[in-house]
């Protein structure tokens, strides 16, 4: 697999919605009742992702297969230093795609001057964020149930003329 991360395009919306719905039904359904999963699927439509892309920075992970078109395999969005809607194709879970998406937006946020990232995570994703170095800040309730709020400090990049030779 040759995975890269690029900005979301409107044409990605149906595939992104498909990935999210599969994650919700195949993975998150272990932690949430069917009525909550149905409501979440109703919330994350292709049209909703197009709408979100107008007010957030939405990215997709794509797999480049030689001789074929690229295939969207994951998504994440950010608004400033807040992470939203991180999902990876369930068939490709555990291959580092989610980690790569998160690193991408963390670097961009640090470049924009933020000193930390923050996200809300349901029961299913909580362990993923902890493995990436996020720590629990508080707990909340959302329309979809219990939510962990997590935070991770970011390293500021060295200014261009201030890079130190560490060799």
């Amino acid at each position: 697999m040759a995975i890269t991360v690029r900005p979301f395009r409107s044409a990605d919306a149906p595939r992104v919605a498909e990935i999210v719905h599969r994650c919700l039904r195949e993975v998150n359904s272990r932690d949430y009742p069917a009525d909550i999963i149905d409501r979440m699927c109703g919330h994350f439509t292709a049209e909703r992702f197009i709408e979100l892309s107008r007010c957030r920075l939405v990215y997709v992970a794509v797999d480049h297969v030689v001789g074929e078109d690229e295939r969207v395999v994951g998504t994440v969005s950010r608004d400033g230093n807040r992470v939203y809607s991180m999902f990876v194709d369930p068939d490709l879970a555990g291959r580092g795609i989610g980690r790569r998406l998160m690193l991408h937006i963390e670097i961009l946020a640090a470049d924009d001057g933020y000193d930390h990232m923050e996200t809300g995570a349901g029961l299913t994703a909580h362990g993923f964020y902890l493995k990436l170095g996020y720590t629990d800040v508080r707990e909340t309730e959302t329309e979809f149930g219990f939510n962990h709020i997590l935070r991770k400090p970011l390293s500021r990049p060295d200014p261009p003329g201030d890079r130190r030779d560490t060799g």
Side-chain angles (χ1 to χ4, degrees), residues 30-90:
R30 298 175 201 149
D31 297 319
Y32 294 94
D35 65 314
I36 297 291
I37 298 296
D38 289 342
R39 282 194 310 168
M40 284 193 266
C41 285
H43 178 78
F44 288 112
T45 63
E47 295 78 18
R48 177 76 173 143
F49 278 101
I50 292 170
E51 179 184 317
L52 289 172
S53 73
R54 294 184 187 119
C55 58
R56 293 184 191 156
L57 300 170
V58 181
Y59 299 92
V60 293
V62 294
D63 184 10
H64 301 274
V65 179
V66 176
E68 297 180 23
D69 290 337
E70 66 182 22
R71 180 174 66 120
V72 174
V73 296
T75 188
V76 69
S77 62
R78 79 176 251 260
D79 184 4
N81 66 336
R82 300 245 343 151
V83 180
Y84 296 95
S85 308
M86 211 297 295
F87 293 93
V88 173
D89 183 326

Side-chain angles (χ1 to χ4, degrees), residues 103-159:
L103 180 61
H104 183 81
I105 64 169
E106 289 168 1
I107 289 169
L108 293 174
D111 286 348
D112 287 346
Y114 293 99
D115 65 354
H116 70 278
M117 291 299 285
E118 189 168 291
T119 191
L123 300 171
T124 310
H126 185 241
F128 168 77
Y129 289 107
L130 292 174
K131 287 179 187 173
L132 294 182
Y134 285 75
T135 57
D136 289 314
V137 176
R138 66 185 179 281
E139 298 168 351
T140 64
E141 284 287 328
T142 72
E143 64 182 297
F144 302 120
F146 181 80
N147 201 37
H148 295 275
I149 304 300
L150 299 103
R151 188 174 282 179
K152 178 181 179 180
L154 297 175
S155 300
R156 297 286 304 262
D158 292 331

Side-chain angles (χ1 to χ4, degrees), residues 9-25:
R9 301 175 190 145
S10 294
D12 299 326
R15 174 68 178 145
V16 168
E18 175 191 347
I19 289 169
V20 172
H21 290 189
R22 285 195 57 219
C23 284
L24 293 170
R25 296 207 183 278

